Amino acid sequence: MTQPLADRDEFGRWLGGRASWPVLCGALLIYLLSAGRVLGDDRTGIDNAVVVRAAHTLLDGGSPYADRRFLYPPGAVFMAVPQVPLGTRTLFYAAPAVTALLVLAGALLALRIFQVRADSRLAAALAVGLAFSLPFQSMVHLGNWTCASVVAFPGALLLARSGRWTAAGAAVGAALALKPMLVPLLLLFAFARRWRALAVALAVPVAVSLPAALAMPRPGLFLTKTLPFLLHGQDAYARPFDASWPAVLARLGVGQPYALLLAVPPAAAALCFARLRWRGRGEEGVRLVECAALLMLAAFLASRPAFLHYALVVLPSLAASAVARGAAVRSVWFWMALLPQLSGVPWPELGSARRHAFKDIVMYTGLAAVLARTAWRTRPHPLESVTVSGGTYSLSSGSGPRNPPGTR
């Protein structure tokens, strides 16, 4: 189920090789300094503060959903309760530190999908790349709970590649109980026909959310107030940061109904290419990561909202696939799509926080296009194999039976 080092090309073996201690220490220092730079802003940790405020409200006997800024499932409130005794100053320092550590943990799990060691050259490059990326700086600055999905996404794929699909479903379900970011990943279990894993992924958030909802006052506000607020793309405060096609097209003067219609084809195409990538050829880990990434990008293109820091859910796993021959990340166009997200590079008229969504949509659309091209290039060819008695045999290699991709 894993990729032997001998199966990698020379570049992949070099990337996976051990880096020197000065390089590793330098990469870690740059990562920590990038995470620490957000402490110069008084608004650091504002997203985490919303969840902590909801926990305060709950303990005071009120409904967390009375605050329209609280947009998380009921279980998230109780997960934030341990932060309540901590002072505002403590959380100001703790929120970015914990967020940065969780992103680093997600990056290490992404490397493990491809059996890349934590002290490798790729690990050092990934740490430096994250440090200079705007999505990382945005997530750490906000203290956003998307960081749970940044860990769960590669963690679930690592478990799935090891054949532990039920555990992967539990990991996805636990992330959904905190924030429903990984809902598109449920389609991956359907592609693989892992129905038990899919059931577990659905059961975990239900098992967490229902008791939590019953334990709080007026939980119905989630349906009557919070959900409509989300479906309408939030409000004028958050809308400029939304990089989904419906939001960006509306800002360019396209009517809202037409903007929604125009967003459907690229999202539907991304879903079709995700299915094609699942059935396609290539190294198993790459196929798994690129299929899952396309599912997430399809949601980012069409659903509202799609913020900048959401990219961190898929980027570490895609970057880790660079050790494998034929991975989409090796295309120069992959990195061209990420170029606008390099911190410190000025972009005329797009440098302000309320205009960077125009850069973000280039990233999401570009990444989806590169992955779609790879899916088409590695699509299965009907003449390459023939099914005999339920087993698939290759016509171009040895006579040993091979399992079809959907049953791995």
Side-chain angles (χ1 to χ4, degrees):
M1 301 294 292
T2 55
Q3 179 193 24
L5 189 62
D7 288 348
R8 300 175 187 164
D9 58 14
E10 184 177 351
F11 180 64
R13 289 193 294 271
W14 182 84
L15 278 178
R18 186 172 183 175
S20 64
W21 281 109
V23 170
L24 291 172
C25 291
L28 183 59
L29 179 60
I30 291 173
Y31 184 86
L32 295 176
L33 289 174
S34 178
R37 68 183 293 183
V38 303
L39 298 176
D41 191 332
D42 292 338
R43 292 172 58 81
T44 292
I46 56 175
D47 282 3
N48 181 67
V50 170
V51 192
V52 175
R53 186 167 65 241
H56 271 287
T57 302
L58 176 67
L59 295 179
D60 291 339
S63 173
Y65 295 109
D67 182 358
R68 68 174 182 173
R69 292 291 169 198
F70 179 70
L71 306 174
Y72 295 83
V77 185
F78 291 89
M79 287 295 295
V81 167
Q83 296 188 55
V84 170
L86 303 177
T88 303
R89 198 62 184 171
T90 301
L91 291 176
F92 176 81
Y93 291 103
V98 172
T99 304
L101 287 175
L102 288 174
V103 172
L104 186 60
L108 294 177
L109 286 173
L111 293 171
R112 289 302 305 157
I113 297 174
F114 301 95
Q115 287 194 303
V116 178
R117 53 195 300 162
D119 59 353
S120 63
R121 296 183 182 93
L122 180 56
L126 184 54
V128 174
L130 287 172
F132 283 102
S133 71
L134 291 175
F136 171 74
Q137 294 176 7
S138 174
M139 181 173 289
V140 174
H141 173 258
L142 296 171
N144 192 275
W145 281 38
T146 300
C147 59
S149 298
V150 175
V151 176
F153 181 85
L157 296 183
L158 177 60
L159 290 168
R161 190 180 182 189
S162 303
R164 302 168 60 188
W165 283 89
T166 303
V172 171
L176 293 177
L178 295 179
K179 186 173 183 177
M181 173 67 62
L182 298 185
V183 167
L185 210 56
L186 297 176
L187 284 175
L188 183 65
F189 299 111
F191 288 170
R193 299 184 181 181
R194 301 288 177 165
W195 308 118
R196 179 183 298 178
L198 177 59
V200 170
L202 293 171
V204 170
V206 172
V208 172
S209 297
L210 281 181
L214 294 175
M216 66 176 58
R218 303 174 66 195
L221 287 176
F222 176 79
L223 299 176
T224 61
K225 186 175 183 179
T226 304
L227 198 57
F229 182 72
L230 278 170
L231 294 177
H232 283 85
Q234 300 193 32
D235 57 11
Y237 172 79
R239 202 167 293 129
F241 305 99
D242 186 352
S244 64
W245 271 110
V248 172
L249 289 174
R251 292 180 66 181
L252 293 175
V254 179
Q256 191 61 52
Y258 299 105
L260 289 171
L261 287 175
L262 289 173
V264 171
L271 288 176
C272 292
F273 280 112
R275 175 60 175 167
L276 187 65
R277 189 65 188 99
W278 173 254
R279 301 175 59 193
R281 296 169 287 124
E283 198 274 327
E284 183 176 5
V286 178
R287 182 174 59 87
L288 194 63
V289 166
E290 292 180 354
C291 173
L294 273 168
L295 290 174
M296 296 302 302
L297 288 169
F300 297 160
L301 291 175
S303 67
R304 303 181 62 185
F307 296 129
L308 167 64
H309 52 270
Y310 289 3
L312 283 188
V313 175
V314 300
L315 284 180
S317 299
L318 289 170
S321 69
V323 296
R325 186 187 293 109
V329 70
R330 291 195 176 189
S331 168
V332 66
W333 296 108
F334 181 93
W335 301 103
M336 290 295 291
L338 293 178
L339 187 61
Q341 304 303 331
L342 187 62
S343 176
V345 178
W347 288 80
E349 303 298 328
L350 300 178
S352 68
R354 299 180 71 83
R355 287 190 174 184
H356 68 60
F358 294 104
K359 296 191 298 180
D360 304 342
I361 196 171
V362 171
M363 172 183 63
Y364 287 132
T365 307
L367 292 178
V370 172
L371 290 172
R373 176 180 176 273
T374 302
W376 181 256
R377 180 170 51 84
T378 59
R379 68 191 184 278
H381 297 298
L383 295 180
E384 287 187 348
S385 61
V386 61
T387 301
V388 180
S389 300
T392 300
Y393 293 81
S394 173
L395 297 181
S396 58
S397 58
S399 59
R402 297 184 180 183
N403 293 326
T407 62
R408 291 178 181 173

